[in-house]
Amino acid sequence: MNKTVAPFAQPLYVMLKPAGAACNLRCKYCYYLEKRNLYREEKNFFMTEELLERFIRQYLGAQTMPQALFTWHGGEPLLQPLAFYRKALQLQKKYAGGRKIDNSIQTNGTLLNDEWCRFLADNHFLVGISVDGSQPMHDKYRRMHGGKPTFHQVMKGIALLKKHRVEFNVMGVVNNHNVDFPLEFYRFFKQIQANFIQFSPIVETLHGQPAPWNVPAGKWGNFLIAIFDEWVRKDVGTYFVQYFDATLANWTGVPPGVCTLAKTCGHAGVMEFNGDVYACDHFVFPEHKLGNIYSRTLVEMMYSEKQLRFGANKYNALPSQCLQCEYLFACHGECPKNRIAKTESGEAGLNYLCEGYHTFFRHAAPYMDFMKKELIAQRSPANVMRNF
C-alpha cells in the first residue's frame, strides 16, 4: 500500500474567491459558474470585510516564510469594489508581522479602468488577464450574458495595464477551436507584448461525456509542439511559457512551479466568499470541502488527513500505464481533474490529454536534454537557440 506523504514542501497557500462564482461574462466553457448552485440560498456572493479580516489574520499567522502571496480569483474578482481591496491591503499591513506580501489577481479584463489600474500599479499587483487569442478565437466562447463579444473590452483593459505600467501575464484557454491555430495564438501574445504566457487546456464533462469544446488529445500535443518549435529557436529567455518552463524544471529535477505537472498536489486550497474551504480550485465539490473558516482554522483544514490524502493521491492513484511511462517524471499524470479516460487495458484514471503530452515530451526531449546540460554547467538554457 502506498504511504500518504505530506505534499507541503512550500508555505500554506489558499486562493481567495472574494465574489465567489459571480461574473459579468458567460464563457461557454467556464467550469466555475456552476458553483453558484452550491449556494442557491445565499443573497449574494460577496465576501464581507469581517470574513476578510478573519482570513488575513489566520493566513498570515500560519505562514512560516518571510513572504506571503495572496491570490484573488473568481468568478470575476473585480466585481468587488476597490474599497474592498483597499481594506485588504490595510489588513495585510496590520497582520504582516514583518513579512513581505505580494498580491496577484486574475481578471477577464473587461472591468479595468484608469482608477483600477492606478491602484494595481501603486500596490504592485501582478495581474493575470484571460484572453483566448485574436478576436475570432477569443470571441468564440468568451462573451457577455447576452452574447455580446468581449475582445475589444479586454484589449482596452490590456492597454490600460500597459499605460499604468502594471505587471501582467496572460492566460489563454485552449479549446476545440483555437487549438487549430497555435502559431497565430502564440504570435498574438507576442504582438501584445505579453512576455509571460500560460495556456490552459479545456477538459470538462457534460452529462457524463467529454464536452464538445474540449481540446482533442492529439491536437493538444500538436499545439504545444508548434509553439515550442518557435519558442525554442527564437524566444528562450524572452518569452516565458509556463508549460515549457515547468517541463524544463521537471527535466532537471526541481519543483516545476505549477501544480498540474508536480508529483503531488493539495497545497493550493481555495476559500469561497462565505468561508468554505475546498481542496483545490478545480475541486469545489461537496466531497472535497474541508470545512469553514468560522469553525476550523486554515491550518487544521489544509493540513488535515483528508487534504494530505487528496494531495498524495495525485501520484498514488495513477494507473499502471502511467507508472510505467518513460515521461512520468515530466507529467506525473497532470491534473487529476483531467483523468476521465481509460487505458488501453480498461483501467480508469488516465489523463484525457495523455496522448498529446506524450507526443510533446517525446518531441521536446532532445532540446530539454540540451538545456538541462547547460543549466548543470551554469550556462544559459537560451544557448539552445544557437545549437538546433
Side-chain angles (χ1 to χ4, degrees), residues 117-134:
C117 290
R118 279 193 295 268
F119 169 82
L120 296 168
D122 291 345
N123 295 287
H124 310 291
F125 272 65
L126 171 63
V127 176
I129 190 159
S130 300
V131 55
D132 289 357
S134 59

Side-chain angles (χ1 to χ4, degrees), residues 41-321:
E41 298 179 0
E42 298 285 349
K43 294 181 180 179
N44 62 58
F45 294 88
F46 294 92
M47 186 178 294
T48 65
E49 289 189 359
E50 189 277 330
L51 174 56
L52 177 68
E53 181 165 9
R54 179 182 289 262
F55 174 85
I56 291 175
R57 182 176 65 248
Q58 283 196 28
Y59 188 65
L60 289 174
Q63 301 299 324
T64 58
M65 303 295 286
Q67 66 279 335
L69 173 64
F70 285 76
T71 300
W72 311 88
H73 215 277
E76 175 47 57
L78 266 59
L79 287 175
Q80 277 278 16
L82 260 173
F84 176 87
Y85 293 99
R86 292 193 176 103
K87 180 66 175 180
L89 294 180
Q90 293 173 5
L91 293 170
Q92 288 174 352
K93 291 177 182 178
K94 178 179 178 180
Y95 295 109
R99 296 179 184 85
K100 179 181 183 298
I101 295 175
D102 294 308
N103 286 279
S104 68
I105 191 164
Q106 183 71 32
T107 176
N108 60 45
T110 62
L111 300 177
L112 289 170
N113 55 30
D114 282 303
E115 185 181 16
W116 264 110
C117 290
R118 279 193 295 268
F119 169 82
L120 296 168
D122 291 345
N123 295 287
H124 310 291
F125 272 65
L126 171 63
V127 176
I129 190 159
S130 300
V131 55
D132 289 357
S134 59
Q135 184 176 0
M137 291 188 278
H138 177 90
D139 285 341
K140 174 73 174 178
Y141 290 122
R142 298 190 67 81
R143 293 176 174 263
M144 295 290 189
H145 182 68
K148 181 182 176 181
T150 61
F151 178 79
H152 291 299
Q153 286 178 267
V154 176
M155 294 309 298
K156 180 181 177 182
I158 291 174
L160 287 170
L161 292 174
K162 291 180 181 179
K163 171 186 172 182
H164 292 276
R165 300 182 184 277
V166 179
E167 185 179 358
F168 74 97
N169 58 39
V170 293
M171 186 186 75
V173 174
V174 187
N175 52 62
N176 67 316
H177 174 66
N178 58 21
V179 71
D180 290 324
F181 307 96
L183 290 181
E184 183 179 339
F185 204 163
Y186 179 51
R187 290 168 184 170
F188 169 79
F189 287 148
K190 293 199 291 184
Q191 178 186 337
I192 64 173
Q193 300 173 317
N195 294 87
F196 296 88
I197 303 167
Q198 301 178 46
F199 294 114
S200 179
I202 278 289
V203 179
E204 298 293 335
T205 56
L206 190 66
H207 308 302
Q209 299 297 321
W213 42 80
N214 281 1
V215 176
K219 288 188 175 183
W220 173 237
N222 295 335
F223 175 90
L224 290 175
I225 288 170
I227 295 174
F228 179 81
D229 283 350
E230 177 155 321
W231 174 82
V232 82
R233 289 175 172 83
K234 298 180 180 180
D235 299 328
V236 180
T238 303
Y239 292 92
F240 300 87
V241 181
Q242 187 182 53
Y243 269 111
F244 304 157
D245 291 344
T247 298
L248 180 57
N250 276 339
W251 228 266
T252 57
V254 300
V258 55
C259 58
T260 55
L261 297 185
K263 184 176 181 178
T264 60
C265 61
H267 53 262
V270 58
M271 191 179 84
E272 277 285 353
F273 66 99
N274 67 341
D276 285 346
V277 177
Y278 293 86
C280 169
D281 180 42
H282 288 283
F283 285 86
V284 178
F285 299 105
E287 62 268 30
H288 293 290
K289 181 179 172 180
L290 301 174
N292 187 286
I293 198 172
Y294 284 108
S295 55
R296 301 186 71 191
T297 68
L298 291 173
V299 170
E300 287 174 327
M301 289 184 279
M302 290 300 295
Y303 290 89
S304 66
E305 178 62 25
K306 180 177 182 178
Q307 182 69 352
L308 295 178
R309 186 167 56 251
F310 172 84
N313 278 344
K314 183 178 192 293
Y315 182 85
N316 292 345
L318 285 171
S320 56
Q321 178 176 315

Side-chain angles (χ1 to χ4, degrees), residues 11-23:
L12 183 146
Y13 173 76
V14 180
M15 179 190 295
L16 280 169
K17 300 280 186 175
C23 188

